[in-house]
Structures are given as structure tokens and as C-alpha cells.
């Protein structure tokens, strides 16, 4: 997969490798050829993601991850699979953009007692599923998305992030 990683916060030393591995695993699990897919990933801090969160979601303050799908693939029916992404005329699939905050990710990982790399991998998978049309607003959609995250992460040797 082509992941165009933009690092604004120098603490994101492992982000390109983690993102590539997470994206490849998620896309393969979803039956998509990672070689045909591309996305952008911004590794930033809480100050930057707070601005993005306010601008695009009208929510004050930082969050862990944000995503901007290239197209709306969301299903009409709750709990249904999203529409598959279509390749462009060159056969490539532009998925969209993700931003991830180091400060929030590090804090959440420490609070949960899990390795930062595992939490970041989870959030990249989570953001990528958003790019593919999955969401967690409706209960049925949330159950489907979380189950996929658990399956993908399990194949990568990462524990269920939703289990206490």
C-alpha cells in the first residue's frame, strides 16, 4: 500500500512502519489489493489535531484519530457492509486521509497499560476502516466495525483493544 506519511511531530519515529503494516493487514483482510490502494497519514500533536477536530467536526479539543474518506462508501442499512471502493481509470484506489495525535495516543496507551505501537496500530486500522465506509455511530455499524478491528489486530498478534 502507498501510505504518504507526513510527520509534523518528531516523536512519531515508528509511524511509517506501523502504518504500512496496519494498512496492509487491514486491506488484505478486507479483500483489497494493498498494492492498488493509497492514503495519506498525518502524524501530529494534540494542538494540531484539536484545530482539525474543531474545523471539520465542530468538536473542541484533541482526539486520537480523524479520517477523511475520498468517497462516501457508507451503507444505507445499519449493520450492513459498506460499498466497495472503486479503482480510478489507472486502477488505483484513493482511500483518503487520516490524522493521528501522538499526545492522545501516548496518553491512552499508558492509561490502558498497552504498548504504544499496539495502540497506534489499532488506531490506523480504525481510521482506515472509516476510509472504507465503516462507522460506529449506529449500534449495528459499531458492532461490525469493532469485530473487524478485533479480527485484523488478532491476525497481527495484537490483543482485543475493546476487552478490559
Amino acid at each position: 500500500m502507498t501510505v504518504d506519511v507526513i510527520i509534523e511531530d518528531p516523536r512519531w519515529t515508528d509511524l511509517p512502519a506501523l502504518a504500512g503494516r496496519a494498512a496492509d493487514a487491514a486491506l488484505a483482510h478486507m479483500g483489497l489489493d494493498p498494492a492498488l490502494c493509497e492514503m495519506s497519514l498525518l502524524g501530529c500533536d494534540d494542538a494540531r489535531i484539536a484545530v482539525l477536530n474543531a474545523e471539520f467536526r465542530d468538536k473542541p479539543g484533541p482526539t486520537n484519530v480523524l479520517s477523511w474518506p475520498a468517497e462516501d462508501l457508507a451503507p444505507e442499512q445499519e449493520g450492513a457492509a459498506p460499498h466497495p471502493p472503486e479503482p480510478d481509470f489507472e486502477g488505483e484506489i484513493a482511500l483518503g486521509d487520516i490524522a493521528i495525535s501522538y499526545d492522545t495516543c501516548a496518553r491512552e496507551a499508558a492509561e490502558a497499560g498497552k504498548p504504544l505501537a499496539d495502540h497506534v496500530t489499532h488506531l490506523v486500522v480504525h481510521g482506515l476502516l472509516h476510509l472504507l465506509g465503516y462507522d460506529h455511530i449506529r449500534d449495528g455499524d459499531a458492532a461490525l466495525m469493532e469485530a473487524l478491528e478485533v479480527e485484523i489486530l488478532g491476525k497481527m498478534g495484537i490483543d482485543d483493544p475493546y476487552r478490559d
Side-chain angles (χ1 to χ4, degrees), residues 126-163:
H126 182 88
L128 183 70
L129 288 176
H130 276 305
L131 298 183
L132 293 173
Y134 291 88
D135 209 336
H136 43 82
I137 295 172
R138 302 178 296 189
D139 290 343
D141 297 334
L144 177 60
M145 184 173 181
E146 289 177 11
L148 285 169
E149 290 174 31
V150 170
E151 289 172 16
I152 294 163
L153 294 170
K155 287 182 178 179
M156 298 178 74
I158 298 173
D159 291 336
D160 179 349
Y162 297 106
R163 188 174 348 131

Side-chain angles (χ1 to χ4, degrees), residues 42-100:
L42 171 66
C44 60
D45 60 14
D46 271 359
R48 174 76 155 126
I49 210 160
V51 169
L52 295 170
N53 203 21
E55 181 177 344
F56 291 99
R57 296 179 64 221
D58 291 324
K59 294 191 177 194
T63 188
N64 51 20
V65 66
L66 293 170
S67 57
W68 297 269
E71 61 181 311
D72 183 5
L73 302 171
E76 293 78 24
Q77 183 177 349
E78 182 177 339
H83 305 285
E86 295 291 328
D88 64 14
F89 66 94
E90 293 180 343
E92 297 175 348
I93 301 171
L95 297 176
D97 305 317
I98 297 173
I100 189 166

Side-chain angles (χ1 to χ4, degrees), residues 2 120 140:
T2 302
V120 170

